[in-house]
Amino acid sequence: SVGGGAEVLATFDGHTVAVRQGNVLATSFHPELTGDHRVHKLFVEMVRGA
């Protein structure tokens, strides 16, 4: 389950696999192994905005 302050960013097969709460980003997978750069782009945007 995900707390009220967290934003679900991605799900897979009905399970939450990526969340963000404030300046914290968490995934249950290794996004660098997927070939999809959206998680890295979001991380860079978060760092630039900090």
Side-chain angles (χ1 to χ4, degrees):
S1 67
V2 177
E7 173 188 4
V8 175
L9 300 175
T11 60
F12 179 76
D13 201 21
H15 300 281
T16 300
V17 295
V19 295
R20 176 183 181 180
Q21 185 170 350
N23 66 346
V24 177
L25 179 63
T27 64
S28 62
F29 60 97
H30 290 274
E32 69 275 11
L33 300 178
T34 67
D36 185 334
H37 301 288
R38 289 178 290 178
V39 173
H40 292 98
K41 180 180 176 185
L42 173 60
F43 178 74
V44 169
E45 290 171 1
M46 289 172 63
V47 170
R48 284 186 178 151

